[in-house]
Amino acid sequence: MDTSDNQDELSQDDLYEHHAFVASKGQEPLRVDKFLMNFIENATRNKIQQAAKKGHIWVNGSIVKQNYKVKAGDEVKVMFEHPPYEFLLTPEDIPLDIVYEDDVLLVVNKPAGMVVHPGHGNYSGTLINALVYHFENLPNNSSDRPGLVHRIDKDTSGLLVIAKTESAMTHLAQQFFDKSSEREYVALVWGNVEEDEGTVEGHIARNPKNRLQMMVFPDGDEGKEAVTHYKVLERFGYVTLISCKLETGRTHQIRVHMKYIGHTLFNDERYGGDKILKGTTFTKYKQFVENAFKVLPRQALHAKTLGFEHPVTGDFMRFNSELPEDMVNCIEKWRGYSKHHES
C-alpha cells in the first residue's frame, strides 16, 4: 500500500518500533487494533488506530488497515512516532519513603499505584523518575534501569532495594539470581485455603492469548521455573490472609501461582479477582464485597519483608514494612464480617 499521499507520513528514521508480536497457534481471527490492545499495556484504541491511519502497522511485512483480521502465525509490528520514552528519564521531585540508606544502597517503601520504571503509557511519576532526581550517578542494571535491582508491580505496595554503586548492583543482583535474598509478601486471596502451608511450583510465561497476563505451564516446556511458598495467617471464610515467600522472582509470580491453585488475589483486576469468586448470592453480601473493593481498589498484595547480605559489610539485613492503610482496612472489614457470621 502506497502512503505517499499521506501528509502525516514520516521517514523510517523518524519511527521507533515499540512492539512486534507473532500471533499464537490458537489465535482466532481478530481485528488488528483489538489484537494490539490485548498485547500492549495502557495503549488506547485511538492511539493504535492513529498508527494504522498513518500506515504504521505491518502484518507479515505489509501495511494494513485497522480492520485487518489477525490470524494464527501472523507477524504484527506497530511503530509510533515518539522515541521510547522509557529511556528519556526525566528527574522528578517525588517524595520517597526511605526505610534505610547508606553509601552503597537504599531501601524504599513503594506506595501502591506508583510504577517502578517508565514504560508504555507511564512516562512520568515512576520510582525511577524520583530516584534520578534524588540521587546522581546511579548505576544501570542490565536493562539500563538506574539503581533497580528488582521490581514490584504498580499496584503492589512494599519494599525495594536500590543500588547506588556498580559493585552493589552486581552483588545484590547476584543474590536475587542465586535465590539467597529473602522476600515475603502478604496477600488476601479468594477462597478458604485448606492447607495451613504449601508450595506452588510451575513454570511461568506470558499467556499466548492475552499478553498482559502471565500463566503457569505445569509441564515446564515453556517459561521460567517459579517457586512460591505460602502460609495461612488468618481465615475469613470466603477469603484467606496468607504470607508468601518467593524462591524465584518472576513477573506476577504470586498473582499467577495463587490463581493457578484456585485462590486468585482479592480485587486483582487483571486476573479476575475483581469479581465475587466465593460466597453467597445475597444482595447484602454483594454490597459488602463491593464496599471492600472500594476500600482496597487494587490487588491485595504487599511486599512486607526484604532481606539480603550487605554488599560491603557482609551482614545479613532484614527490613519489615507495615501493611498499608487500604489493606488493613479491607482485612478489618473481612474480619468483622467473618466474626459476625460465625456468631
Side-chain angles (χ1 to χ4, degrees), residues 19 36-43 120-122 212 252 270:
H19 300 281
L36 287 170
M37 280 190 70
N38 287 340
F39 278 63
I40 304 174
E41 190 168 4
N42 298 317
H120 190 91
N122 294 294
L212 300 183
H252 298 177
R270 181 161 300 182

Side-chain angles (χ1 to χ4, degrees), residues 61-81:
S62 298
I63 293 172
V64 297
K65 293 182 178 180
Q66 64 198 41
N67 61 356
Y68 173 88
K69 296 285 182 70
V70 175
K71 300 176 291 296
D74 278 351
E75 293 182 13
V76 182
K77 292 184 180 181
V78 57
M79 310 280 256
F80 295 117
E81 297 170 19

Side-chain angles (χ1 to χ4, degrees), residues 111-328:
M114 175 184 264
V115 177
V116 170
H117 60 74
H120 190 91
N122 294 294
Y123 303 122
S124 64
T126 76
L127 178 64
I128 293 283
N129 293 112
L131 288 171
V132 296
Y133 177 89
H134 292 288
F135 303 97
E136 293 181 357
N137 303 318
L138 289 173
N140 282 350
N141 65 11
S142 58
S143 302
D144 292 325
R145 311 290 190 196
L148 218 58
V149 178
H150 61 126
R151 59 178 292 265
I152 56 179
D153 298 329
K154 172 186 176 182
D155 287 326
T156 299
S157 53
L159 299 174
L160 287 161
V161 60
I162 307 298
K164 294 168 75 173
T165 67
E166 292 282 358
S167 59
M169 173 69 77
T170 302
H171 196 288
L172 290 165
Q174 190 65 43
Q175 291 183 59
F176 279 79
F177 181 78
D178 293 339
K179 306 173 187 175
S180 61
S181 61
E182 181 182 320
R183 283 167 292 168
E184 181 181 3
Y185 291 68
V186 172
L188 188 68
V189 300
W190 278 108
N192 182 30
V193 180
E194 291 186 6
E195 300 294 329
D196 286 340
E197 53 187 82
T199 298
V200 187
E201 297 183 66
H203 282 52
I204 289 177
R206 208 162 281 284
N207 184 335
K209 293 185 178 179
N210 182 348
R211 302 290 292 182
L212 300 183
Q213 289 185 355
M214 308 299 285
M215 66 179 287
V216 171
F217 291 84
D219 297 334
D221 52 349
E222 288 190 53
K224 295 179 180 179
E225 176 198 21
V227 182
T228 305
H229 306 284
Y230 67 86
K231 188 175 183 178
V232 170
L233 299 176
E234 200 170 348
R235 302 177 192 278
F236 304 125
Y238 299 134
V239 296
T240 307
L241 189 66
I242 61 170
S243 152
C244 292
K245 288 192 175 180
L246 294 184
E247 196 171 304
T248 54
R250 309 302 176 205
T251 301
H252 298 177
Q253 180 171 319
I254 292 172
R255 301 164 69 184
V256 173
H257 267 173
M258 295 316 296
K259 177 172 183 171
Y260 177 63
I261 64 169
H263 297 288
T264 305
L265 263 63
F266 185 77
N267 211 9
D268 187 348
E269 181 182 6
R270 181 161 300 182
Y271 291 96
D274 60 338
K275 311 283 191 299
I276 298 177
L277 299 182
K278 297 289 178 182
T280 71
T281 55
F282 295 132
T283 305
K284 279 188 178 180
Y285 174 73
K286 183 183 177 186
Q287 187 64 54
F288 166 79
V289 174
E290 287 175 352
N291 286 337
F293 285 155
K294 288 176 184 174
V295 167
L296 181 70
R298 62 178 179 101
Q299 70 255 13
L301 187 61
H302 176 70
K304 185 179 188 300
T305 304
L306 180 62
F308 52 85
E309 182 183 286
H310 192 280
V312 177
T313 67
D315 295 335
F316 192 83
M317 308 179 77
R318 183 181 288 108
F319 300 92
N320 279 288
S321 63
E322 297 296 322
L323 289 180
E325 187 178 7
D326 59 357
M327 273 191 76
V328 170

